[in-house]
Amino acid sequence: MDIDLDQLPMPDWDLLCPTCRYPLKGLPAHRCPECGAALDIPAIVRPWSRLRPPQFTGEEEAFPDFGLHCGACAEPLAGAEHRECPHCQSPFNPREFVPRHEWFAVTAAMCGGLPTQIVELILEQQYIPFVTHDHKTMFDIYMGSRSVGAQMLVHREFYFDMLWHIRAKQTELAQRQAAGSGKTWTCPACREEVPDHFDLCWSCQHERMPD
Ligand SMILES: [Zn+2]
Ligand SMILES: [Zn+2]
Ligand SMILES: [Zn+2]
């Protein structure tokens, strides 16, 4: 998904001038009318900024493949119509899947086996608002271990978007595996072995170098 961060007038992204806190919504230029500061929008935007509405509401006519399962028979709900399980016909309410908290913690089950770094990249690339919540211990800080206990919080409004994109990535990975393209490249920065189809290192997000 591509969003032009430099578009004018400025959309309602709930951004403030970093110098004087003036709200930037509706500005015709990238200059703060209050304090005169030049505004570098990509630098002001944060991972939790809401730059777009959700693509999915869970109310779609044919239930998209969110990787969700029927509570009654445990079969996948993908493709369900009329809010009924396609396997056992039990009714379901899409809203009941949505986490209760406004910002919910992304669990391993939601990631469906994808490393958290990949999920973080998906969230970034799809402009899904999220916060990283670091529970670092003194040991982690002194010993330099990375992403220990790092927890991602995603806005509830984007629950279905997150699931759909995780599911799409899982499918893509499965297809590549089936096609036998198990190639990897070695990250020049952290030496991580990264699957061929990623252009950024999934561990440190360093760019891939030409072979
Ligand atoms: Zn200002
Ligand atoms: Zn069922
Ligand atoms: Zn790396």
Side-chain angles (χ1 to χ4, degrees), residues 124-207:
E124 267 176 31
Q125 287 167 352
Q126 301 301 331
Y127 298 101
I128 295 174
F130 75 100
V131 204
T132 312
H133 207 62
D134 252 324
H135 296 289
K136 280 203 173 118
T137 62
M138 290 316 273
F139 178 85
D140 298 325
I141 292 163
Y142 286 110
M143 303 311 285
S145 51
R146 64 199 160 102
S147 35
V148 171
Q151 202 188 24
M152 277 178 291
L153 302 179
V154 169
H155 197 279
R156 182 169 57 190
E157 198 189 4
F158 289 82
Y159 174 68
F160 290 116
D161 280 42
M162 182 195 80
L163 291 185
W164 193 87
H165 286 288
I166 285 175
R167 193 76 186 133
K169 179 59 77 183
Q170 284 177 315
T171 308
E172 181 199 317
L173 286 173
Q175 279 166 355
R176 280 170 182 272
Q177 257 173 7
S181 64
K183 275 171 58 187
T184 59
W185 52 278
T186 308
C187 172
C190 74
R191 314 307 298 170
E192 181 88 5
E193 287 296 317
V194 185
D196 202 46
H197 55 286
F198 287 105
D199 296 326
L200 294 177
C201 170
W202 66 11
S203 179
C204 72
Q205 305 192 10
H206 194 282
E207 270 183 64

Side-chain angles (χ1 to χ4, degrees), residues 77-141:
L77 288 176
E81 290 178 4
H82 314 297
R83 311 280 164 269
E84 271 182 11
C85 170
H87 303 277
C88 73
Q89 276 70 53
S90 295
F92 69 93
N93 177 358
R95 306 313 302 166
E96 281 171 9
F97 290 107
V98 181
R100 216 160 29 86
H101 292 288
E102 190 178 2
W103 291 87
F104 65 89
V106 178
T107 63
M110 291 175 192
C111 298
L114 292 183
T116 48
Q117 292 94 332
I118 298 237
V119 173
E120 197 172 325
L121 276 181
I122 293 173
L123 298 176
E124 267 176 31
Q125 287 167 352
Q126 301 301 331
Y127 298 101
I128 295 174
F130 75 100
V131 204
T132 312
H133 207 62
D134 252 324
H135 296 289
K136 280 203 173 118
T137 62
M138 290 316 273
F139 178 85
D140 298 325
I141 292 163

